[in-house]
Amino acid sequence: SSYADILSCAQDYGKAIQVYDQLLNEAFDYRIALNRAKNYYYNQESDRALIELEALHQMNPDDDEAEMFLADAYAITGQPFKAEEIYRKLKAGTEIEQEKRLLNQRMAVLGDYFVRENELDKANNLYKELLKENSDDEELIQDINTRRIFLGDAYSLREEWRKADNIYDDILDRTRDTSEIRMLKQRIDWIPPYGLRKGLISIGNFLGMFFPTNIGLTPFGNYYMDNQ
């Protein structure tokens, strides 16, 4: 088992799985089986990892480590709601701040999987919740806001301009990073007119057909200035 563990630490996951297989063929051991399942996950064999982790969870439902990896496997196989349920359960069951932070980090990543499943509003609400709960964790806030930029992009692709604009504006108010500010302003400039703004521009274009260019929408202002 120690040799397989060394291989896993060296990121030679395929070879580690082979060694774990040999050990499990000799005799079943829960910890070895869990390590093999984790290596399936690390080796991007997500479906196989999920099958193994679900079976192990049935054997030992009180193993928090196995359950956390099960949630990770649910997320990566397109089942983010199941993953969220487990993460929340684990968060509620611990008083250790380091464990809570680890779970918050995983939930931030989970937002990406909600986006992939086109659950944009769910991702948006999850990010807002995490920002509120972790207002003093600058590193996590930065990570979440980076993910929110791409959420805004996803809203833009769906032409939900107001939601995209609100996200970009909120991040712009929070960030001090000059490159991020420039990127956000560029994205905001790309958003076409919508809602009331679109209506006002349309009215302006309509009235522009009937008023002289130098008068535009405020002929009274020009008249006042011309008669000073």
Side-chain angles (χ1 to χ4, degrees), residues 194-212:
Y194 64 89
L196 180 61
R197 181 170 163 231
K198 181 179 181 180
L200 290 173
I201 290 175
S202 298
I203 292 171
N205 291 337
F206 174 75
L207 293 177
M209 296 170 62
F210 300 98
F211 288 106

Side-chain angles (χ1 to χ4, degrees), residues 12-226:
D12 191 350
Y13 305 123
K15 182 64 175 175
I17 290 168
Q18 291 177 11
V19 176
Y20 288 132
D21 281 341
Q22 293 171 5
L23 293 169
L24 289 168
N25 286 336
E26 295 172 6
F28 179 80
D29 180 278
Y30 176 84
R31 297 310 302 179
I32 292 175
L34 176 57
N35 286 336
R36 181 177 66 177
K38 287 160 60 177
N39 275 265
Y40 279 130
Y41 177 82
Y42 296 143
N43 205 39
Q44 300 181 12
E45 297 180 57
S46 308
D47 292 333
R48 185 65 183 271
L50 180 58
I51 292 170
E52 298 274 331
L53 288 163
E54 283 183 327
L56 291 168
H57 181 59
Q58 290 292 323
M59 293 181 196
N60 187 2
D62 295 327
D63 186 341
D64 289 349
E65 181 188 13
E67 198 166 20
M68 185 169 66
F69 274 94
L70 176 59
D72 296 344
Y74 278 136
I76 206 168
T77 55
Q79 302 176 76
F81 285 99
K82 286 186 177 181
E84 181 190 16
E85 184 180 353
I86 293 174
Y87 291 145
R88 289 190 183 281
K89 174 194 167 189
L90 292 173
K91 266 181 70 174
T94 184
E95 296 297 327
I96 302 172
E97 289 302 318
Q98 187 175 0
E99 290 182 357
K100 286 185 177 181
R101 188 171 191 275
L102 179 64
L103 289 161
N104 282 329
Q105 289 172 334
R106 275 171 152 80
M107 289 183 72
V109 175
L110 184 62
D112 295 350
Y113 290 104
F114 279 119
V115 173
R116 291 184 190 183
E117 296 300 314
N118 213 26
E119 295 283 351
L120 305 191
D121 290 344
K122 176 64 181 177
N124 195 22
N125 290 332
L126 179 60
Y127 290 143
K128 286 179 180 179
E129 176 189 334
L130 290 171
L131 287 171
K132 186 176 180 179
E133 286 183 0
N134 300 277
S135 57
D136 57 345
D137 191 332
E138 291 295 329
E139 184 179 349
L140 182 58
I141 289 171
Q142 179 62 45
D143 177 61
I144 292 169
N145 281 331
T146 299
R147 297 177 190 283
R148 291 176 74 212
I149 291 174
F150 296 108
L151 173 61
D153 296 346
Y155 275 126
S156 293
L157 288 172
R158 290 205 326 202
E159 298 186 4
E160 295 188 50
W161 308 117
R162 187 184 302 279
K163 290 179 179 179
D165 200 9
N166 288 341
I167 289 171
Y168 296 147
D169 277 337
D170 183 65
I171 302 171
L172 194 59
D173 288 341
R174 295 170 181 267
T175 188
R176 297 294 178 267
D177 186 290
T178 53
S179 61
E180 198 169 73
I181 290 171
R182 184 166 54 252
M183 178 175 61
L184 287 162
K185 286 183 176 180
Q186 184 182 53
R187 278 167 160 79
I188 291 170
D189 287 342
W190 286 342
I191 293 177
Y194 64 89
L196 180 61
R197 181 170 163 231
K198 181 179 181 180
L200 290 173
I201 290 175
S202 298
I203 292 171
N205 291 337
F206 174 75
L207 293 177
M209 296 170 62
F210 300 98
F211 288 106
T213 306
N214 67 319
I215 296 178
L217 289 175
T218 55
F220 52 86
N222 285 323
Y223 177 83
Y224 178 79
M225 291 175 65
D226 289 344

